[in-house]
Amino acid sequence: MPATCWEASRAAGSATASRPGLARGHTRAYSTSPGFQDRHPMLYGCFSAAGICLILQWQPCLAPLGTFLVLMGDGLIYGSISRFIDASIPQEFNVIAISAWLFIGDLGSILGSSLTNSIRNVVAR
């Protein structure tokens, strides 16, 4: 498949699947369901890893599902960390703690987005 067709399909699929995945993951992780309270956030990384594997298949029909899974994993991680901070940090330090966590997450996002072309060159070989 030509690169332009792949990129157009991927962009459309990502735009369609990204928001619901992130919203569903964050909502589900922050819920008070007993099954989600005892899970470590690293377990939710499995959603992201599965999504990355689907995206790296270079099949346009799998890209939306891969994007959904990556962002659902991201939402689950952020939601569970936010819930942990709300439950364990005193109220007067809550905003500082969540701001520090989001800052660290943003640094990772910037690093990841700046390495996209390098990773793409290695993976696409």
Side-chain angles (χ1 to χ4, degrees):
M1 178 173 299
T4 55
C5 181
W6 158 250
E7 289 176 3
S9 298
R10 185 172 165 265
S14 295
T16 304
S18 64
R19 293 295 176 206
L22 188 60
R24 178 70 177 145
H26 188 284
T27 303
R28 186 67 178 148
Y30 208 82
S31 72
T32 57
S33 300
F36 276 81
Q37 290 180 359
D38 299 324
R39 303 240 166 88
H40 193 278
M42 289 301 290
L43 179 65
Y44 301 138
C46 295
F47 284 97
S48 296
I52 290 169
C53 288
L54 287 176
I55 291 170
L56 290 177
Q57 296 299 313
W58 294 91
Q59 297 294 321
C61 60
L62 296 177
L65 178 61
T67 303
F68 178 85
L69 288 174
V70 166
L71 289 173
M72 184 167 175
D74 186 49
L76 286 167
I77 291 168
Y78 272 78
S80 64
I81 294 294
S82 298
R83 189 178 70 218
F84 174 78
I85 288 173
D86 286 345
S88 61
I89 303 293
Q91 188 65 31
E92 63 265 16
F93 301 115
N94 196 311
V95 174
I96 295 169
I98 197 72
S99 295
W101 166 249
L102 293 174
F103 179 73
I104 291 167
D106 286 343
L107 285 178
S109 176
I110 291 168
L111 179 65
S113 65
S114 65
L115 292 174
T116 302
N117 287 333
S118 300
I119 293 170
R120 181 179 173 191
N121 291 336
V122 170
V123 171
R125 287 182 186 200

